[in-house]
Amino acid sequence: MPEIGIAALTTIVTHQILPALAKFVVTAGVTKLLKGDGVKKAVKNTCDDLNLVAPHDERVQRRLTQWTESESFKALLTLGKKDHQPLSVEIAIKNFEDTTKVGYSISGDNTKLTNVIPLYLFHLGVQLNIMDKESSAYADARNHIEVMKAIEALPDQIKTVIDSSNAELNAAIHARLDRSDQLFLEAALTKGPEQVLPIKDEVDARLESEVEYDSRIDTIKRHIEHGQVDLANKLLLEIRDEISGEKPSKQLLFRIASNIGVCALKTERYSDAESEFETALACKPDSYISHANVANAAIFQKNSQRAVNNAVQARKLAPKNGFAAAIFILALSANKESSRIKELVAAERWLLTDPLCLLALGRHHYDCGEFETAEKCARQSTAKNPYDPQALILVAEAIFRQVQLLLLADLPINENMRPEHKARLAEAEDYATKSIGFLETQDSVVQKNQALLFRAAIRLAAFDKEGSRADCNMVLETEPHRIPALIGIAIIDYSAGTFSKTTASLLENLPSDYWPQTAALLGNMYLELDEPALAIKSIDRVKPPPVDNELYSSFLTVRMLGLAALNLNEELETLIQDELAQNGEDVRVLFAIAIVRRRSKRCDEAILLLEKALSLKPQLETWIRRELANNFMDKAEQNARLRNQSLAIRMYQKAVYMFETFLDLDSESADRYSYVVALANSGQLGSAYAEARKLRLKQGKAISVLSEIEATYLEYQYGFFSEARDLIVELLESEPAKPSLRMALSRLNFRLGKS
């Protein structure tokens, strides 16, 4: 029987990075020394030292960092490279001596046993080499509940294992190897349920004649994990060409096809991926991973029934495997078999404790529009694996979609958003940021960019335009032609008023798949650029026209404003009357027509349309109230020009009332400025003065129009001529030719006795 020194086991447990390895060594019972009290004392000391019941202890983090820089880590990788030589572990042991200062050896006649130990180490070594200390693989090794309990219960396990037979020992060893596969698969699923990258199994012994190829493929796998997919694909194809005239083993062909399939999947060549995975399946038809790979590719190919069929085969081969079950759930979801998923979960409750299955269930509920349930599943998944970037981003997505639905019910204007909505968006952004951080450590460019684009959407919804722009620009640094990022920049430029014909041209040249989502934006840009014909053209190229209520009203608004700008009044009136006849109870249509009427100075008609829309208790209530307030302001100005002062004052009073129904009086928006003007012109000069002064002090400078109101009140109400004059002089610095300011300065100079 082989022997292993206490110091080696102590090192492994102390560093807490390989509790699964410690579990293997103990359960397999590969040492007689485990009978002694020495190991019990060592285990107790190390457990106390690391405080295993608190896996997030800072001391554990420090130990992890130290271990990744130690010779022990290098030795682990050495084992991996030499695992094809059954008794070559002494090479690694020698390296371990540099760290532990205590020698130990593995020896004996059980070749099979001594081969499996380094092979198991190799599984974990590759994992650690791919993932950094913040990755999900580390988290699994550090936080897996079963492993923690196993370590705490070491003395009892030792006694049980030592009394077992050799047959039982071999079974235990292979059970640990199966767990090693599972660790790999869990790391794979952290790529996300829609981007699950298949990981081959490597349990089969390698042939001496193919050692060089295996070693090269090991290196290529690291290229894939570090985002060098094109290079990896090229190198794999070179190996395939080299062995074309030979008789390679099915294991080698399996490895090549599986990894080429991964490259194809990562570069969105789904048909190629499916073909490669079929080749791998032909090499290993009894591998549940091969069936799961084909099912995964079939999901991307929209061949959901085939995905289900292969996932069923994977589950038959591995009925209690979390990865196989997760792929099965995703396949059923793609095939619209929600009832079957419910039956599955009811029959196999263990699925609700598996982080991979919880993640797949969360994605299923998200795709079904059940965002609250999706959030719950994703949170449970992150609780079991807090370092999984895909579970984190799913939490963010589910929160964001719930907030979106709430915002649609009461769409905010500018930054006037309810505190509870702001808090939820901030939480979603935090989860997205954590996901991005973990993806950065894994060098996963494509997935990181997807997360960045999603965070950009969250920030834009929270009115953080610059933060959203920064995220889009980060994506464009690595993917200069990433269309969603380009669209994001265009949206931000339009909302900030900084767009140009170049921006419009960029949108116009997008692939046709993006036209429905961008046509209204492009049309509005052309309207602002005084190109109404191009505005209409931009929406006419979308065939068939959208039936979605929101898109339909956006297209209608662009068309009507374009017709008005082109003075095609007869066509415009025909369109408006047809819409009123067919969609006269549609709030968005009424709102769109009201916008056109206001642009045409027909405020009375616009007010009637908006009041009708408001009576329908619409989702756009805040926006309708805002448009009503602005129409009251425009109507008041029209009456003032007609010298109908009493009607003008009444309109200003209505505007004040309407502003106060939705306005955030702590904001500094254009609506608040209009509100102050309405206050002053409705005769509420004292209130207008107070609001104007508050805004000026907040900004630290005089504000056009508002500070003029403030100066007027200081002059006539208090007789503070000097203070009023100072405000007027400050305003004249930015508006030197404004007649009302020059007249006010002359008047105040006269009152102060200045020339």
Side-chain angles (χ1 to χ4, degrees):
M1 231 6 178
E3 294 184 351
I4 184 167
I6 296 175
L9 179 61
T10 304
T11 300
I12 292 169
V13 179
T14 301
H15 287 298
Q16 184 57 10
I17 192 60
L18 293 176
L21 176 61
K23 181 181 179 182
F24 162 71
V25 172
V26 174
T27 306
V30 295
T31 172
K32 297 177 183 179
L33 292 177
L34 294 182
K35 288 183 178 180
D37 291 333
V39 72
K40 295 182 181 179
K41 183 176 180 181
V43 170
K44 182 179 185 305
N45 290 342
T46 52
C47 287
D48 292 342
D49 181 43
L50 284 175
N51 191 12
L52 294 180
V53 294
H56 298 294
D57 193 313
E58 290 183 0
R59 289 176 298 171
V60 176
Q61 298 292 337
R62 288 197 299 272
R63 292 289 179 88
L64 289 173
T65 303
Q66 294 168 2
W67 191 77
T68 57
E69 297 171 353
S70 71
E71 292 298 323
S72 301
F73 183 84
K74 297 175 184 177
L76 193 62
L77 299 181
T78 304
L79 281 169
K81 293 175 182 177
K82 298 292 184 179
D83 74 295
H84 59 278
Q85 299 176 15
L87 299 178
S88 64
V89 288
E90 277 82 2
I91 299 173
I93 292 167
K94 183 177 180 181
N95 288 332
F96 270 117
E97 290 176 0
D98 296 334
T99 303
T100 62
K101 303 301 182 185
V102 178
Y104 66 94
S105 64
I106 297 178
S107 59
D109 300 328
N110 194 334
T111 304
K112 184 175 182 180
L113 181 62
T114 53
N115 190 25
V116 225
I117 293 173
L119 181 58
Y120 186 79
L121 280 167
F122 173 67
H123 275 268
L124 293 175
V126 171
Q127 204 173 13
L128 296 172
N129 191 38
I130 292 172
M131 307 291 182
D132 79 343
K133 69 178 189 302
E134 296 295 336
S135 72
S136 58
Y138 271 75
D140 186 281
R142 188 164 64 249
N143 296 329
H144 198 279
I145 296 173
E146 293 180 5
V147 173
M148 302 296 276
K149 289 180 179 178
I151 293 177
E152 291 172 0
L154 276 176
D156 294 333
Q157 286 194 18
I158 293 167
K159 183 177 180 181
T160 303
V161 170
I162 290 180
D163 294 335
S164 62
S165 65
N166 285 337
E168 290 172 329
L169 287 178
N170 288 333
I173 290 169
H174 287 292
R176 297 305 165 271
L177 289 174
D178 289 342
R179 174 59 190 150
S180 170
D181 270 347
Q182 181 64 17
L183 288 175
F184 266 124
L185 297 173
E186 291 181 16
L189 199 59
T190 60
K191 305 291 189 232
E194 293 185 343
Q195 296 87 30
V196 177
L197 298 184
I199 303 296
K200 62 181 180 54
D201 64 37
E202 297 185 23
V203 179
D204 294 352
R206 300 178 182 181
L207 300 177
E208 289 287 343
S209 60
E210 296 178 350
V211 166
E212 179 188 350
Y213 294 126
D214 281 322
S215 178
R216 287 165 63 182
I217 293 174
D218 292 340
T219 302
I220 291 170
K221 280 181 57 182
R222 296 187 181 96
H223 289 316
I224 295 174
E225 292 298 332
H226 287 83
Q228 299 170 308
V229 181
D230 291 337
L231 173 61
N233 190 69
K234 177 176 176 292
L235 295 174
L236 287 165
L237 291 174
E238 287 177 359
I239 294 177
R240 178 175 279 176
D241 288 340
E242 289 177 27
I243 64 173
S244 59
E246 303 175 10
K247 293 183 178 180
S249 67
K250 289 188 176 181
Q251 168 69 7
L252 181 59
L253 293 172
F254 171 81
R255 295 194 74 195
I256 294 171
S258 294
N259 283 285
I260 292 177
V262 172
C263 294
L265 208 59
K266 276 181 170 285
T267 51
E268 301 180 356
R269 294 181 289 111
Y270 303 131
S271 178
D272 292 344
E274 188 172 17
S275 176
E276 291 294 340
F277 293 145
E278 286 173 350
T279 300
L281 180 60
C283 295
K284 299 185 77 171
D286 59 345
S287 167
Y288 76 91
I289 299 175
S290 296
H291 285 285
N293 288 347
V294 174
N296 190 23
I299 292 173
F300 283 100
Q301 285 282 85
K302 310 299 182 185
N303 191 344
S304 56
Q305 186 55 56
R306 182 176 186 192
V308 171
N309 294 340
N310 280 98
V312 167
Q313 292 301 316
R315 290 220 71 201
K316 285 181 179 178
L317 293 166
K320 291 294 183 179
N321 183 275
F323 177 74
I327 290 293
F328 184 47
I329 291 168
L330 292 172
L332 291 174
S333 180
N335 208 36
K336 311 297 181 186
E337 297 189 56
S338 297
S339 59
R340 198 169 168 188
I341 292 176
K342 289 181 181 178
E343 293 171 1
L344 177 68
V345 173
E348 302 185 49
R349 304 302 294 176
W350 68 270
L351 298 173
L352 298 177
T353 63
D354 185 279
L356 306 183
C357 296
L358 284 167
L359 184 57
L361 287 168
R363 180 58 63 184
H364 163 67
H365 288 298
Y366 182 90
D367 292 340
C368 292
E370 300 164 356
F371 304 120
E372 187 175 349
T373 307
E375 180 187 354
K376 181 180 178 182
C377 290
R379 284 185 183 274
Q380 290 175 341
S381 182
T382 60
K384 295 178 179 298
N385 187 357
Y387 305 98
D388 181 354
Q390 293 303 323
L392 291 167
I393 203 67
L394 181 56
V395 175
E397 290 178 20
I399 293 173
F400 181 58
R401 291 294 288 149
Q402 291 175 72
V403 175
Q404 271 190 321
L405 294 176
L406 294 171
L407 293 180
L408 285 175
D410 185 17
L411 200 61
I413 298 173
N414 297 323
E415 298 181 14
N416 185 17
M417 186 184 295
R418 292 182 181 180
E420 61 268 27
H421 296 164
K422 287 183 179 179
R424 286 284 277 169
L425 285 177
E427 185 181 16
E429 182 180 344
D430 181 58
Y431 272 96
T433 300
K434 288 179 181 177
S435 176
I436 291 166
F438 292 131
L439 290 169
E440 284 177 341
T441 64
Q442 296 176 11
D443 290 325
S444 183
V445 176
V446 174
Q447 292 175 55
K448 184 189 77 171
N449 286 346
Q450 290 172 341
L452 280 169
L453 287 171
F454 184 73
R455 188 174 69 179
I458 296 173
R459 288 176 166 176
L460 190 59
F463 300 101
D464 180 8
K465 296 175 185 176
E466 291 310 309
S468 182
R469 185 192 299 276
D471 283 341
C472 290
N473 283 331
M474 286 177 66
V475 172
L476 294 174
E477 286 177 5
T478 53
E479 295 184 89
H481 303 293
R482 188 70 178 266
I483 291 177
L486 295 171
I487 294 174
I489 294 292
I491 293 172
I492 296 165
D493 285 343
Y494 177 74
S495 63
T498 57
F499 66 94
S500 63
K501 285 189 176 181
T502 303
T503 313
S505 177
L506 184 149
L507 291 177
E508 191 167 2
N509 292 319
L510 290 177
S512 58
D513 291 347
Y514 293 92
W515 289 357
Q517 299 96 322
T518 60
L521 173 63
L522 178 59
N524 281 305
M525 284 186 178
Y526 277 131
L527 288 172
E528 296 288 337
L529 294 168
D530 199 23
E531 297 279 3
L534 291 177
I536 294 175
K537 182 181 177 182
S538 69
I539 59 173
D540 280 344
R541 66 178 184 170
V542 177
K543 305 293 183 185
V547 294
D548 175 78
N549 186 265
E550 186 172 352
L551 274 181
Y552 180 83
S553 60
S554 299
F555 277 45
L556 177 62
T557 304
V558 171
R559 184 178 302 281
M560 289 190 297
L561 291 175
L563 292 173
L566 292 169
N567 293 318
L568 299 174
N569 297 323
E570 185 176 344
E571 186 176 345
L572 173 62
E573 286 304 316
T574 300
L575 176 60
I576 288 175
Q577 295 308 317
D578 287 346
E579 287 294 333
L580 288 174
Q582 298 174 23
N583 303 305
E585 300 298 313
D586 189 318
V587 171
R588 293 182 183 273
V589 170
L590 293 172
F591 185 73
I593 296 173
I595 291 174
V596 176
R597 291 305 194 204
R598 182 187 169 204
R599 292 277 187 97
S600 303
K601 310 297 183 185
R602 297 165 68 171
C603 295
D604 288 329
E605 295 178 51
I607 289 170
L608 289 174
L609 289 166
L610 291 168
E611 287 177 340
K612 179 181 179 180
L614 199 59
S615 69
L616 298 173
K617 301 186 181 301
Q619 292 181 330
L620 289 172
E621 183 173 344
T622 302
W623 284 78
I624 292 171
R625 290 182 181 279
R626 181 197 194 205
E627 191 64 22
L628 263 174
N630 288 324
N631 270 280
F632 287 137
M633 292 286 287
D634 289 353
K635 184 63 179 176
E637 291 173 9
Q638 290 175 7
N639 287 315
R641 284 193 292 270
L642 295 172
R643 300 184 183 281
N644 191 340
Q645 294 302 321
S646 60
L647 187 55
I649 290 173
R650 192 154 63 248
M651 288 294 107
Y652 280 124
Q653 289 172 342
K654 286 188 175 184
V656 168
Y657 167 75
M658 196 56 63
F659 276 124
E660 288 177 346
T661 62
F662 71 86
L663 190 60
D664 179 5
L665 294 179
D666 290 326
S667 70
E668 297 182 38
S669 63
D671 290 327
R672 191 176 177 194
Y673 291 2
S674 297
Y675 170 65
V676 175
V677 173
L679 280 173
N681 291 333
S682 66
Q684 303 177 60
L685 197 57
S687 298
Y689 162 76
E691 289 295 318
R693 185 172 184 275
K694 192 187 301 182
L695 285 166
R696 177 177 60 82
L697 292 176
K698 192 171 184 178
Q699 288 198 13
K701 62 180 181 179
I703 303 171
S704 179
V705 180
L706 302 194
S707 294
E708 197 172 348
I709 293 171
E710 188 181 357
T712 301
Y713 192 77
L714 288 171
E715 178 183 359
Y716 289 103
Q717 182 68 24
Y718 295 119
F720 293 166
F721 305 137
S722 180
E723 290 82 350
R725 183 182 183 279
D726 290 342
L727 286 173
I728 297 298
V729 169
E730 186 177 350
L731 287 171
L732 279 167
E733 291 178 1
S734 56
E735 301 176 275
K738 190 173 182 179
S740 61
L741 293 177
R742 296 177 67 86
M743 289 174 62
L745 181 61
S746 298
R747 185 176 65 250
L748 288 166
N749 282 338
F750 176 77
R751 291 192 170 196
L752 290 168
K754 296 185 178 183
S755 57

